[in-house]
Amino acid sequence: MMTATDLEQMLIARLVRERGGTSQIWQRALGRVIVRDTATHAHCNWDVSLSGTDVQCAAIERLLDDVRLEHSIVAAG
């Protein structure tokens, strides 16, 4: 099972590859992956705390839609 840290690194790598920029820029825009309890979030137990520009947030949200289908449940860590 993928961990929150693994997911965060994968998201940043894909954003750099697909949108350009640096990993530091995308890390700041993405924020941290927040892992929730699967008892209350059975379909997808994670979220992120976006803090980027409108353009960055839109790019991240589009990526998240795809990634949630592949990795809906992650482990803390």
Side-chain angles (χ1 to χ4, degrees), residues 43-55:
H43 298 290
C44 183
N45 76 325
W46 60 270
D47 203 354
V48 293
S49 54
L50 300 179
S51 62
T53 66
D54 290 344
V55 172

Side-chain angles (χ1 to χ4, degrees), residues 1 7-8 16 25 36-37 68 74 76:
M1 177 180 290
L7 178 63
E8 192 174 299
V16 169
I25 289 171
R36 307 203 188 279
D37 188 345
R68 282 190 177 111
V74 298

Side-chain angles (χ1 to χ4, degrees), residues 27-34 47-52 57 64:
Q27 173 65 57
R28 283 192 296 271
L30 180 67
R32 291 301 216 183
V33 173
I34 302 161
D47 203 354
V48 293
S49 54
L50 300 179
S51 62
C57 290
L64 294 180

Side-chain angles (χ1 to χ4, degrees), residues 3-21:
T3 67
T5 301
D6 294 337
L7 178 63
E8 192 174 299
Q9 291 172 354
M10 182 193 67
L11 291 169
I12 292 167
R14 284 186 60 178
L15 287 163
V16 169
R17 185 174 62 246
E18 294 172 11
R19 298 293 181 165

